[in-house]
């Protein structure tokens, strides 16, 4: 009972926090955000925060993470920070359109030049006021606040983040890189919110990098909605690389129309506590979805991925591939579900989760699930938890490759299956370098 | 070059090798034959440094040093090569990356600079020709999806690249058709020299029609029960292992 009470108290505290700061939270946002908010508040009152009694959170205890002592900021930091100086991205020389987000707020000095005609990249709050037609048609439509407490919580507090709009038949050559930075003199709770809309036959590549720039503790409960119009192609990559005191709850809701192709790469390189929820609804025929993930954990980190793919229409394909390497006392969880509705005949859906544990104290819980109501489908799922292959290690060493290098090669090869699927070429190369470095630092056992 | 004295080995408390004595000198080619389960592969793996076995007694001296004290990579650096009976598939590690790493690690040990990319490719072409490897195996991941024959040819190719002093070939002939067998044998013969030595482990005499050994040893129930010249292989082919068994027991 103690568990429920703490989370229940926190829920009341958060609702109270909203009431007290209501006018400030709603100061700069449009009507649609306020509308979604009022529904989310009543949803959140009903749902509360997810406890381990909920199946999807059985192996991921949010309580110690959520109940930390955090401050909230309801307006953007008005000061100019020389971000170029304090921040050096670990994936340098990436040819991208860079958008900075500071503690959940769109950084006011962002300048985006040479964007193709019609493309909008702006602050979410501004879009809710200045682009109401597009914004109101999508905001809050894909994130279901009545089923998920974290989505409801984000919608209650959402004030800002990034809005991207790509009109019909338009293609952005360069990826848009959103850099989420946490930098403050206080421990912060952050609720950032993004909305990406790719209209019919458009193409969009987005990379979201999450970083902490100081040793403060952060609890980020972010939410991203992605709309993929007919025949659109989206590649969405998320690169999580934060300090040990940070907790990240990242919720992504994807909605796909016919013949759209969405490829997500969820790369969790570092962080104290990471929970990714990816909900996809495929609501048009012949659409494709690829949700790939790679995660590393050491120390006492926890990395948890929850993926839900809802096949609502026939002739669609989805593929989930999540791979992880954990060491020391790190723990992880994978919960993936493929849901095939009665009408979604000829669905092809795969799901796989492979894990390597480098130490006897590392832990992994894997639960791949299928829920199928159609009778003509091709679906499979599987999970493995193992160690580095000793046979392979010996093979490499017998050729003169030292143990450390051999272990590195095997870990790299394990990760490569996920990395090689990244479609944007120069992004793939950069990320491969970054993962390579991470792996060198990671394998402490040698 | 290699001296094995009274070597006894256990795995999970079961004694597999029960006192092996063997001496291999430069320029020699030794064949170790024997029925299944006689301990041939255990001997080969132990010499290469596989650590799942426990050495309970005996010693192995290689070029004047205690071999059993060395890590697998150290043994490789000092010129030992094991051709695996079952080469391991390593998805994601490219053949080129694997071989380049292996060669440069060995060069580092010998205080040589790493090979440049073009020198490496040149070496690879040269050795591919030597072992008649014309397919594109080198563009793929290590052994991944290779046929049985391709895997064995790949072992000989690696041997050619690494130029070992002592090559131990564990059942390199098993699962090969006659053409592949000839290619593998050709490769071994071309790499034979007066400064290096080879130990060929085989179940059948067939390979020894193409690779002529200087010595043939029969391993049975963890012991070398018979040693002789190449004619022993013929005799075994004719009479089968039962002949040895009845003679020993």
């Amino acid at each position: 009972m103690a568990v429920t009470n703490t989370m229940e108290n926190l829920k009341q505290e958060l609702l109270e926090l909203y009431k007290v700061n209501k006018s400030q939270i709603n100061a700069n946002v449009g009507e649609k955000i306020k509308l979604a908010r009022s529904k989310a508040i009543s949803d959140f009152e009903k749902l509360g925060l997810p406890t381990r009694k909920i199946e999807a959170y059985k192996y991921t205890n949010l309580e110690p993470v959520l109940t930390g002592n955090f401050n909230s900021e309801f307006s953007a930091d008005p000061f100019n920070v020389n971000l170029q100086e304090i921040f050096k991205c670990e994936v340098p020389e990436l040819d991208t359109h860079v958008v900075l987000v500071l503690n959940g707020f769109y950084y006011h000095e962002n300048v985006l030049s040479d964007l193709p005609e019609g493309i909008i990249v702006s602050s979410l709050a501004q879009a809710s006021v200045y682009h109401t037609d597009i914004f109101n048609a999508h905001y809050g439509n894909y994130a279901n606040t009545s089923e998920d407490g974290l989505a409801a919580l984000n919608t209650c507090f959402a004030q800002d983040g990034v809005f991207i709009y790509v009109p019909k038949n338009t293609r952005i050559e360069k990826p848009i890189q959103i850099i989420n930075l946490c930098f403050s003199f206080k421990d912060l709770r952050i609720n950032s919110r993004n909305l990406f809309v790719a209209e019919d036959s458009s193409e969009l590549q987005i990379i979201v990098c999450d970083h902490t720039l100081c040793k403060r503790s952060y609890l980020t409960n972010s939410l991203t909605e992605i709309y993929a119009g007919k025949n659109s192609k989206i590649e969405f990559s998320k690169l999580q690389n934060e300090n040990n005191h940070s907790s990240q709850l990242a919720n992504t809701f994807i909605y796909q129309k016919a013949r759209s192709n969405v490829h997500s790469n969820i790369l969790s390189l570092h962080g104290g506590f990471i929970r990714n929820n990816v909900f996809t609804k495929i609501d048009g025929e012949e659409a494709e979805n690829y949700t790939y993930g790679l995660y590393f954990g050491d120390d006492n980190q926890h990395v948890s991925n929850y993926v839900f793919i809802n096949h609502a229409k026939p002739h669609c394909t989805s593929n989930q591939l999540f791979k992880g390497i954990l060491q020391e006392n790190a723990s992880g969880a994978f919960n993936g579900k493929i849901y095939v509705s009665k009408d979604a005949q000829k669905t092809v859906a795969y799901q796989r989760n492979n894990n390597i544990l480098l130490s006897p104290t590392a832990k992994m819980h894997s639960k791949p699930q299928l829920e199928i109501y159609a009778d003509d489908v091709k679906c499979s799922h599987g999970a493995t938890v193992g160690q580095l292959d000793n046979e392979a290690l010996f093979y490499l060493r017998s050729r003169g490759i030292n143990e450390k290098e051999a272990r590195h090669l095997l870990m790299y090869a394990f990760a490569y299956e996920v990395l090689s699927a990244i479609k944007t070429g120069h992004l793939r190369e950069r990320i491969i370098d970054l993962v390579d470095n991470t792996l060198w630092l990671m394998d402490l056992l040698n | 070059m290699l001296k094995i004295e009274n070597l006894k080995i256990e795995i999970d408390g079961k004694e597999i090798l029960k006192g092996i004595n063997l001496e291999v000198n430069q320029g020699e080619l030794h064949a170790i034959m024997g029925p299944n389960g006689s301990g041939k592969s255990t001997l080969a793996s132990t010499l290469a440094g596989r650590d799942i076995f426990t050495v309970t007694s005996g010693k192995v001296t290689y070029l004047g040093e205690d071999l059993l004290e060395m890590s697998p990579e150290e043994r490789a650096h000092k010129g030992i090569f094991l051709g695996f009976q079952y080469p391991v598939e390593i998805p994601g590690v490219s053949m080129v990356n694997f071989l380049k790493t292996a060669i440069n690690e060995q060069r580092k040990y010998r205080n040589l600079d790493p090979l440049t990319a073009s020198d490496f490719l040149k070496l690879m072409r040269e050795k591919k020709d030597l072992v008649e490897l014309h397919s594109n195996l080198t563009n793929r991941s290590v052994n991944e999806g290779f046929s049985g024959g391709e895997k064995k040819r790949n072992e000989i190719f690696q041997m050619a690249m690494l130029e070992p002093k002592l090559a131990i070939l564990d059942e390199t002939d098993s699962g090969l058709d006659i053409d592949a067998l000839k290619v593998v044998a050709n490769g071994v013969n071309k790499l034979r020299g007066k400064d290096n030595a080879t130990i060929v482990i085989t179940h059948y005499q067939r390979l020894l029609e193409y690779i002529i050994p200087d010595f043939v040893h029969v391993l049975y129930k963890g012991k070398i029960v018979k040693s002789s010249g190449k004619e022993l292989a013929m005799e075994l082919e004719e009479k089968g292992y039962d002949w040895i068994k009845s003679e020993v027991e």
Side-chain angles (χ1 to χ4, degrees), chain A residues 25-304:
Chain A
I25 293 170
N26 284 309
N28 299 311
V29 301
E31 287 311 311
K32 185 72 197 245
I33 291 183
K34 291 180 203 164
L35 199 68
R37 190 171 345 270
S38 62
K39 181 182 180 302
I41 289 166
S42 65
D43 287 338
F44 184 63
E45 277 176 334
K46 272 183 237 137
L47 287 169
L49 292 156
T51 65
R52 292 180 68 180
K53 286 182 182 161
I54 296 171
E55 186 64 25
Y57 291 88
K58 196 173 171 188
Y59 299 110
T60 300
N61 187 6
L62 297 183
E63 195 195 327
V65 172
L66 291 168
T67 51
N69 223 342
F70 296 100
N71 300 285
S72 296
E73 292 281 359
F74 299 112
S75 60
D77 194 327
F79 305 109
N80 288 338
V81 195
N82 192 342
L83 288 172
Q84 256 66 35
E85 211 162 272
I86 54 175
F87 174 70
K88 296 260 182 292
C89 184
E90 279 127 319
V91 249
E93 293 161 47
L94 254 186
D95 191 16
T96 56
H97 298 285
V98 175
V99 181
L100 293 175
V101 175
L102 183 59
N103 301 331
F105 291 89
Y106 191 87
Y107 188 56
H108 60 97
E109 288 207 330
N110 279 327
V111 180
L112 285 121
S113 52
D114 65 280
L115 280 174
E117 183 78 25
I119 288 176
I120 304 166
V121 177
S122 86
S123 115
L124 185 93
Q126 286 203 353
S128 74
V129 177
Y130 297 109
H131 302 287
T132 47
D133 284 359
I134 308 165
F135 190 87
N136 296 355
H138 296 282
Y139 182 84
N141 286 5
Y142 317 116
N144 190 348
T145 54
S146 58
E147 279 178 18
D148 186 272
L150 293 180
L153 177 64
N154 175 280
T155 312
C156 291
F157 284 93
Q159 287 181 275
D160 201 10
V162 182
F163 172 77
I164 299 174
Y165 177 75
V166 188
K168 270 186 187 173
N169 303 316
T170 310
R171 179 167 171 243
I172 310 191
E173 295 285 332
K174 284 200 274 184
I176 295 175
Q177 184 180 19
I178 298 172
I179 303 177
N180 284 314
L181 299 174
C182 296
F183 181 65
S184 60
F185 299 103
K186 295 188 263 193
D187 294 346
L188 282 183
R189 180 187 281 121
I190 296 166
N191 288 284
S192 56
R193 177 91 175 203
N194 302 314
L195 174 62
F196 309 145
V197 177
E199 293 284 17
D200 295 354
S201 304
S202 66
E203 270 184 49
L204 173 63
Q205 294 134 28
I206 301 166
I207 170 166
V208 180
C209 303
D210 300 320
H211 297 285
T212 41
L213 296 183
C214 55
K215 294 221 158 120
R216 284 283 162 197
S217 298
Y218 296 95
L219 168 61
T220 306
N221 178 35
S222 68
L223 196 156
T224 300
E225 288 180 286
I226 301 176
Y227 170 86
K230 287 177 192 163
N231 292 309
S232 65
K233 280 198 179 77
I234 300 178
E235 177 160 41
F236 171 69
S237 304
K238 194 158 170 59
L239 202 59
Q240 298 164 318
N241 207 359
E242 299 192 320
N243 70 24
N244 273 333
H245 319 283
S246 66
S247 303
Q248 196 181 112
L249 315 170
N251 307 281
T252 308
F253 291 82
I254 299 168
Y255 180 80
Q256 290 187 242
K257 299 291 273 182
R259 293 176 302 282
S260 61
N261 181 318
V262 176
H263 187 118
S264 307
N265 307 296
I266 314 285
L267 309 166
S268 312
L269 302 188
H270 204 267
F273 181 101
I274 295 174
R275 165 73 175 203
N276 294 304
N277 289 323
V278 185
F279 299 90
T280 300
K281 182 168 186 182
I282 307 181
D283 205 12
E285 297 193 13
E286 292 172 48
E288 293 172 50
N289 177 279
Y290 301 90
T291 307
Y292 287 12
L294 183 66
Y295 45 94
F296 304 132
D298 58 17
D299 201 7
N300 287 302
Q301 265 185 275
H302 181 77
V303 194
S304 168

Side-chain angles (χ1 to χ4, degrees), chain B residues 91-157:
Chain B
V93 177
S94 75
M95 274 301 298
V96 170
N97 194 10
F98 161 62
L99 276 174
K100 205 192 284 176
T101 311
I103 284 187
N104 285 335
E105 283 274 323
Q106 299 210 8
R107 289 179 67 89
K108 193 162 83 187
Y109 176 79
R110 288 167 205 149
N111 284 323
L112 296 168
D113 287 335
L115 281 183
T116 64
S118 68
D119 284 345
F120 175 77
L121 289 175
K122 207 177 124 203
L123 181 71
M124 215 162 67
R125 263 198 306 274
E126 199 181 292
K127 300 298 184 185
K128 269 170 92 169
D129 284 345
L130 185 80
V131 298
E132 298 166 63
L133 189 77
H134 304 303
S135 57
N136 277 333
L137 294 187
T138 46
N139 293 339
R140 293 158 56 181
S141 287
V142 179
N143 293 320
E144 194 192 17
F146 288 21
S147 70
E150 284 172 335
K151 282 181 182 165
K152 296 301 173 70
R153 284 166 77 154
N154 189 26
E155 293 295 288
I156 301 300
F157 170 60

Side-chain angles (χ1 to χ4, degrees), chain A residues 390-402:
Chain A
N390 274 326
E391 292 280 335
L393 212 51
F394 176 61
Y395 190 77
L396 295 171
R397 293 178 70 191
S398 79
R399 299 301 182 246
I401 299 173
N402 71 55

Side-chain angles (χ1 to χ4, degrees), chain B residues 189-241:
Chain B
N189 287 330
K190 282 181 194 163
L191 295 168
R192 272 173 93 167
K194 62 175 176 26
D195 296 327
N196 59 27
T198 312
I199 298 174
V200 174
I201 289 172
T202 181
H203 181 83
Y204 302 105
Q205 182 267 345
R206 199 172 62 152
L207 179 70
L208 304 180
E209 284 174 21
Y210 304 97
I211 300 174
I212 310 299
D214 301 303
F215 301 94
V216 176
H217 311 276
V218 179
L219 189 62
Y220 179 60
K221 287 194 172 169
K223 278 191 154 176
I224 290 180
V225 293
K226 216 170 175 67
S227 293
S228 184
K230 61 177 182 254
E231 64 285 352
L232 179 58
M234 307 291 207
E235 213 172 340
L236 271 175
E237 182 69 7
E238 222 170 274
K239 300 184 185 167
Y241 286 113

